[in-house]
Amino acid sequence: MTDLQRRPFVSARMVAERAGVSRSAVSRTFTDGASVSEATRRKVLAAAGALGYHVNHLARGLRENSNIVCLVVADLTTPIRAGLVDELTRKLQAASKITMVINTESDDESVATALRQTLNYRADATIVLSGTPPASLIETCLANGQQVILINRADHLQGSQNLGVDNAMGAREAFFLLQRAGCRRLAVVTSTARTASLLQREDVFVEAARKAGLDVAVTRAGPTTYASGLEAGRRLFGRSDGPDGVFCVTDLLALGFMDAARQEFGLRIPDDVCVVGFDDIEQGGWESYRLTTFAQPLAAMADHAVDLLAEPHAWGSERKLFEPLPVWRRSVRANSR
Amino acid sequence: MTDLQRRPFVSARMVAERAGVSRSAVSRTFTDGASVSEATRRKVLAAAGALGYHVNHLARGLRENSNIVCLVVADLTTPIRAGLVDELTRKLQAASKITMVINTESDDESVATALRQTLNYRADATIVLSGTPPASLIETCLANGQQVILINRADHLQGSQNLGVDNAMGAREAFFLLQRAGCRRLAVVTSTARTASLLQREDVFVEAARKAGLDVAVTRAGPTTYASGLEAGRRLFGRSDGPDGVFCVTDLLALGFMDAARQEFGLRIPDDVCVVGFDDIEQGGWESYRLTTFAQPLAAMADHAVDLLAEPHAWGSERKLFEPLPVWRRSVRANSR
DNA sequence: TTGAAAGCGATACCAT
DNA sequence: ATGGTATCGCTTTCAA
């Protein structure tokens, strides 16, 4: 064995030696409110600067909180996911937490593995944005003193803290929008990913339509992507009587759907078909689309999640729901024709 | 002081007590290739399972490598950034590293702060995707035994390992593409962010055109966004003789530009204007755009970065350049008219 | 194979 | 204000 493996990180002891003080003095210099004389303080700072010393937060985390928060997420490239991760990392940073991102598949086994990792790194909290962790594992995290925050996940998990957008409200509003626009042949475009959020958006919309005496054609062409929306459009307009009002449970699906309707079937939006999305991703605002949709208030949701971290564990707390905000653009007629 | 602050994480000692063995035995059970009898092993595993024990990687990292890799990034919502972060987190995960993401502003001061954080957490390596860290700080990281990997950053930094896409090659090819399409009134659409990559794409294109005896109008309407591309389009076509061949140094700019040309000036692409982008973000492939562009081979770049981590520090290594891959779609005419 | 003990880097408590 | 010491949880010698 050679010395190659030696870790050259400079430690407090090295700084102490160079400054001619004790290790304790060094530690105190870097601790707020500790009592150090200006003289030693200066000596320590000089030595630290010269050596390139940085306090080892890993060692510090041995005694107290690690200040690490884990983000478990899948499909990071999806605009809505990227947006949420962006908000969260920013705000955690501002709250002087450090963020570990675990990019996992969304199947439950991968999520379970991810959760175990957060335990390994003694994360103070875990924020799950994708997949549905098994209750037993959440149990374990909780037992280890971790906070578990679920965003836009199924709401039946015990002990975890939950928050998300109000899918039911959004879906209901989406129906009213189309109804007011005078649409009679309704359709829902959704994905084969049967997550709680997506299913709820679908179900509530269909139910609202049923109550109004309208039938809804439900299409799921694949995963929650642009391509699936495109394919759904092909299928729906390939038949004899295409829909004249469509709720796409995700903006990404909506944009694909709009492209199919316009490019491949020469339909005009909103004249021939009205389209409503959900999420409010940046691309929906682009001139080629101008999609009417419901926004997830990502900033507010991230704020709330970070606030949760500061609070003492709010046991048995209800799921906090955020109102989706309607974003009026041009994919729905303003009034019935 | 109450006991509320007590960290309830279960430790190896607790497991040892419950299993009736020594702490060493517990440690060995969770260490590959350590010698433990099947009997004690089983006992330990049982106790660990019952208690919900997970090895503390923070404490482990005190002696050896932390296995932590820091990603310093800005503008996480940008598709190209999200794509790169996605690839990297995935591949780091596969290499059994844990990823810390520092979402920073791209100004140098913020990046410096981020770099210091990576030192605090004893990251084995730091991968910088945004901004330009000061050389002195890279020095410090290196001195502390960290690897510093810069992706698509300026290439003059000593000691760091560099990789990126070959901007010059892409820009040159972009010019040839437009030249072959018979474009004579050329323009470059770029942003006010004067990063090395963007400047190089601009400069090389302009230079290639100049050599061919063609002049280039350079427009920078704002940051590297869709909105800036849109605005650039308005400016360029607001004058008497708009361009007939445009190189947008980023796909995002290109998509905005295309929308301005088509929606606001009724121009046809590629008949009236040819447009070439750079990056190959997913949206460029959408039916509304079908943008011809040059792809950054993100997967290959991420692979390389992760490989670098495994190798002994390749000192003085050259900057590794990846060829941008032409993606032929429909925003450039196939042949000169 | 197993347990005891040293050490990793930092902080908090105790004397001084 | 300062230095010594115990402690956090783990891995790794070293003996037995």
Side-chain angles (χ1 to χ4, degrees), chain B residues 10-288:
Chain B
V10 10
S11 71
R13 186 174 44 170
M14 294 161 135
V15 177
E17 278 169 16
R18 188 181 229 266
V21 297
S22 71
R23 271 175 281 159
S24 319
V26 177
S27 185
R28 278 190 280 260
T29 302
F30 292 100
T31 311
D32 286 340
S35 71
V36 212
S37 74
E38 194 48 37
T40 48
R41 196 187 144 72
R42 242 201 301 275
K43 275 192 290 184
V44 169
L45 251 27
L51 259 34
Y53 170 73
H54 291 78
V55 177
N56 186 339
H57 282 43
L58 259 36
R60 171 186 281 174
L62 234 45
R63 307 177 59 66
E64 21 189 324
N65 295 333
S66 64
N67 275 328
I68 295 173
V69 176
C70 263
L71 247 50
V72 178
V73 63
D75 299 324
L76 196 48
T77 49
T78 298
I80 189 73
R81 282 275 157 59
L84 193 45
V85 170
D86 182 56
E87 290 284 351
L88 282 168
T89 48
R90 261 210 168 70
K91 276 159 182 161
L92 288 169
Q93 186 92 359
S96 54
K97 310 268 180 208
I98 188 92
T99 311
M100 286 188 156
V101 171
I102 304 190
N103 189 350
T104 165
E105 304 300 313
S106 62
D107 67 290
D108 293 355
E109 186 45 53
S110 309
V111 173
T113 307
L115 264 274
R116 269 185 286 266
Q117 282 230 47
T118 80
L119 254 11
N120 283 328
Y121 280 91
R122 294 304 190 255
D124 295 339
T126 299
I127 304 183
V128 180
L129 310 182
S130 303
T132 309
S136 63
L137 204 44
I138 291 195
E139 216 61 58
T140 307
C141 289
L142 260 19
N144 276 288
Q146 253 192 10
Q147 275 180 289
V148 180
I149 300 178
L150 267 35
I151 302 188
N152 277 341
R153 315 316 311 155
D155 52 357
H156 55 266
L157 288 159
Q158 295 290 329
S160 61
Q161 291 161 297
N162 294 272
L163 66 112
V165 72
D166 190 337
N167 296 303
M169 174 185 284
R172 207 152 30 224
E173 290 299 319
F175 169 72
F176 291 138
L177 232 56
L178 294 175
Q179 189 184 39
R180 247 174 282 143
C183 304
R184 314 236 75 227
R185 303 188 306 282
L186 298 181
V188 165
V189 171
T190 182
S191 89
T192 47
R194 315 191 130 262
T195 72
S197 291
L198 264 32
L199 285 174
Q200 198 182 11
R201 292 177 198 172
E202 169 190 340
D203 290 346
V204 171
F205 183 91
V206 170
E207 181 59 21
R210 209 187 50 74
K211 270 189 190 144
L214 290 168
D215 222 32
V216 179
V218 176
T219 310
R220 48 185 99 245
T224 322
T225 60
Y226 169 91
S228 298
L230 196 71
E231 173 61 22
R234 285 172 186 152
R235 287 192 199 166
L236 279 167
F237 294 117
R239 324 192 243 239
S240 51
D241 62 335
D244 65 350
V246 182
F247 174 43
C248 301
V249 297
T250 264
D251 280 2
L252 223 38
L253 290 166
L255 302 183
F257 179 83
M258 289 174 84
D259 276 345
R262 287 202 282 221
Q263 321 274 327
E264 303 187 8
F265 295 92
L267 297 167
R268 289 163 308 159
I269 298 170
D271 312 77
D272 302 320
V273 209
C274 292
V275 180
V276 180
F278 202 113
D279 280 352
D280 188 33
I281 61 178
E282 188 201 325
Q283 290 78 7
W286 290 359
E287 295 296 319
S288 286

Side-chain angles (χ1 to χ4, degrees), chain A residues 5 9 33 39 51 68 80 87 95 118 124 152 157 163 199 204 210 237 257 266 290 295 311 321:
Chain A
Q5 285 291 15
F9 271 104
L51 258 34
I68 295 173
I80 190 72
E87 290 285 351
T118 79
D124 295 339
N152 277 341
L157 288 158
L163 66 113
L199 285 175
V204 172
R210 210 186 51 74
F237 294 118
F257 180 83
R290 305 204 119 273
E311 287 170 20
L321 282 184

Side-chain angles (χ1 to χ4, degrees), chain A:
Chain A
M1 271 302 152
T2 80
D3 258 10
L4 275 179
Q5 285 291 15
R6 238 226 237 298
R7 293 160 8 86
F9 271 104
V10 9
S11 71
R13 187 175 42 174
M14 294 160 130
V15 177
E17 277 169 17
R18 189 181 227 266
V21 297
S22 71
R23 272 173 280 159
S24 315
V26 177
S27 187
R28 277 191 282 261
T29 303
F30 292 101
T31 311
D32 286 340
S35 71
V36 212
S37 75
E38 195 48 37
T40 48
R41 193 187 145 73
R42 243 200 302 276
K43 275 193 290 186
V44 169
L45 252 25
L51 258 34
Y53 170 73
H54 291 78
V55 177
N56 185 338
H57 282 42
L58 259 35
R60 172 188 279 175
L62 235 45
R63 305 180 62 75
E64 21 189 324
N65 294 333
S66 64
N67 275 328
I68 295 173
V69 175
C70 266
L71 247 49
V72 178
V73 64
D75 298 323
L76 197 47
T77 49
T78 298
I80 190 72
R81 282 276 158 58
L84 193 46
V85 170
D86 181 56
E87 290 285 351
L88 283 168
T89 47
R90 259 207 169 74
K91 279 163 181 161
L92 288 169
Q93 186 94 356
S96 54
K97 310 271 178 206
I98 189 92
T99 311
M100 288 186 156
V101 172
I102 305 189
N103 189 350
T104 165
E105 305 300 315
S106 62
D107 67 289
D108 294 354
E109 187 44 53
S110 309
V111 172
T113 306
L115 264 275
R116 271 186 285 265
Q117 281 229 46
T118 79
L119 255 10
N120 283 327
Y121 279 92
R122 292 307 187 255
D124 295 339
T126 298
I127 304 182
V128 180
L129 310 181
S130 302
T132 310
S136 63
L137 204 43
I138 292 196
E139 215 63 56
T140 307
C141 289
L142 261 19
N144 276 287
Q146 250 192 14
Q147 275 180 289
V148 180
I149 300 178
L150 267 36
I151 302 188
N152 277 341
R153 314 316 311 152
D155 52 356
H156 54 266
L157 288 158
Q158 296 291 330
S160 60
Q161 292 161 297
N162 294 273
L163 66 113
V165 72
D166 191 336
N167 296 301
M169 175 185 280
R172 210 151 28 223
E173 291 298 320
F175 169 71
F176 291 138
L177 233 57
L178 294 175
Q179 189 184 40
R180 250 175 279 143
C183 303
R184 315 235 74 227
R185 299 188 310 283
L186 300 179
V188 166
V189 170
T190 183
S191 89
T192 47
R194 314 192 129 262
T195 74
S197 290
L198 264 33
L199 285 175
Q200 198 182 13
R201 292 177 198 172
E202 170 191 340
D203 290 346
V204 172
F205 183 91
V206 169
E207 181 60 19
R210 210 186 51 74
K211 272 190 187 143
L214 290 169
D215 222 33
V216 179
V218 176
T219 310
R220 48 185 98 245
T224 322
T225 61
Y226 169 90
S228 297
L230 196 71
E231 173 59 22
R234 284 173 187 152
R235 285 194 201 167
L236 278 167
F237 294 118
R239 320 194 247 239
S240 49
D241 62 334
D244 66 350
V246 181
F247 174 42
C248 300
V249 297
T250 266
D251 279 2
L252 224 38
L253 290 166
L255 302 183
F257 180 83
M258 288 173 84
D259 276 345
R262 286 201 284 223
Q263 321 274 326
E264 303 187 9
F265 296 90
L267 298 166
R268 292 162 307 159
I269 297 171
D271 312 78
D272 301 321
V273 211
C274 293
V275 181
V276 180
F278 203 115
D279 282 350
D280 189 32
I281 61 178
E282 188 201 327
Q283 290 77 9
W286 289 0
E287 295 296 318
S288 285
Y289 300 103
R290 305 204 119 273
L291 173 67
T292 293
T293 188
F294 290 90
Q296 293 203 42
L298 297 185
M301 288 162 66
D303 276 331
H304 182 70
V306 175
D307 285 348
L308 247 27
L309 261 32
E311 287 170 20
H313 294 218
W315 284 93
S317 66
E318 289 308 299
R319 175 179 169 85
K320 164 109 178 179
L321 282 184
F322 290 79
E323 286 192 18
L325 308 170
V327 179
W328 308 91
R329 286 196 285 242
R330 302 222 204 100
S331 64
V332 176
R333 284 188 299 273
N335 41 352
S336 159
R337 53 181 169 183

